Amino acid sequence: MDLLAELGTRRALCIIRAPEIPDPVGLARTLVEAGLPIVEFALTTPGAPRLIEQASQVDGLILGAGTVMSARDARDAVSAGATFLLTPGLRPAVAEEAVRQRIPVVLGAMTPTEVATAVDLGATAVKVFPAARLGPAYFGDLHGPYPNVPLVATGGLTAENAASFLAGGAIAVTAGSGVVGPKLAAESRFDEIGERAKEFLAALA
C-alpha cells in the first residue's frame, strides 16, 4: 500500500476516537462506502487493537492506528492489522519500529524544527497539529523551506474550513469528531456518520 499515493488521491482520512465502538466493522464499512476509506483507530479508544483486528476484514479499507506512543504500541497495532501508524508528536521509538517493519508512519509536528526532525526519523508524511489554530497559510509557510514534505492537516477541521488547508498546501486533511462523533460511534448511528462523511468530502471538491 502506497500511503502517500492514497493520501494524494483521497485528500482525506478519518480519525476515530470514542469511549466505545461496539461495531467497528459496520463503522469501517460505512466510511468506505461513503468514499472515506483511509481510517485511523486511535489507540486511546478502549480495546483499540481488537477493534483494528475486527475492522481489518472490511474490503477496501486502508486501516491505520493513531496516537501510537511506543514501540510496543506500534507492534501491537501492526499485529492487529494496521497498515500505517500515526503519532500525536515526535516519537522516535515508534518511527524506528515503523521503519524496521517497513510500515508507513505519519509523525506529529508543529514547528519547522519538529517537521525537520520528523523527516530525519523517516516519516512518510508529517501531521501538523493543531491546524485550525495555525491556519491554512502556515502550510504554505512550511513549504518554503520544506517544499517536498507531505503535510497532513489535523485538528479542528470541518466541512467549512478543510478545503482551505488543501489549497494552502496540505496533501490531505483529517476528518475527526465532525464526521465520527464519539456518541455517534458508540450508538452505531451509521446513516448519520455516512451523511457527514459525504458532506465533508463534497466540501473538499
Side-chain angles (χ1 to χ4, degrees), residues 9 14 18 51-52 60 101 122 132 147 172 177-178 185 191 198:
T9 298
C14 189
L51 300 176
I52 290 170
Q101 296 209 38
S177 59
D191 288 345
K198 291 174 184 177

Side-chain angles (χ1 to χ4, degrees), residues 6-204:
E6 294 290 349
L7 290 174
T9 298
R10 308 286 184 176
R11 307 307 304 273
L13 64 153
C14 189
I15 297 173
I16 300 176
R17 191 189 308 275
E20 181 184 6
I21 302 175
D23 186 1
V25 173
L27 177 55
R29 186 173 291 121
T30 295
L31 293 169
V32 170
E33 291 173 353
L36 194 54
I38 309 177
V39 175
E40 161 203 339
F41 280 84
L43 295 188
T44 51
T45 298
R50 175 181 53 81
L51 300 176
I52 290 170
E53 184 176 7
Q54 291 174 1
S56 66
Q57 65 183 280
V58 176
D59 290 338
L61 183 67
I62 301 169
L63 181 59
T67 321
V68 182
M69 297 293 289
S70 67
R72 179 175 180 176
D73 282 348
R75 288 192 293 271
D76 289 346
V78 172
S79 295
T83 59
F84 66 96
L85 306 173
L86 298 95
T87 69
L90 297 173
R91 307 300 297 174
V94 175
E96 183 179 355
E97 183 65 22
V99 170
R100 187 183 72 80
Q101 296 209 38
R102 299 182 180 179
I103 293 291
V105 60
V106 181
L107 296 178
M110 183 177 77
T111 68
T113 298
E114 290 172 346
V115 171
T117 301
V119 172
D120 291 343
L121 289 171
T124 306
V126 179
K127 185 178 75 172
V128 179
F129 175 88
R133 291 186 179 274
L134 297 168
Y138 187 65
F139 288 76
D141 293 339
L142 287 176
H143 274 311
Y146 307 122
N148 299 316
V149 177
L151 304 174
V152 178
T154 303
L157 301 189
T158 66
E160 288 71 33
N161 66 12
S164 63
F165 289 89
L166 296 178
I171 187 175
V173 294
T174 58
S177 59
V179 172
V180 184
K183 187 174 182 180
L184 297 182
E187 296 177 358
S188 299
R189 289 158 59 182
F190 298 145
D191 288 345
E192 190 170 347
I193 290 170
E195 288 304 312
R196 289 188 177 198
K198 291 174 184 177
E199 289 172 4
F200 186 87
L201 293 171
L204 300 185

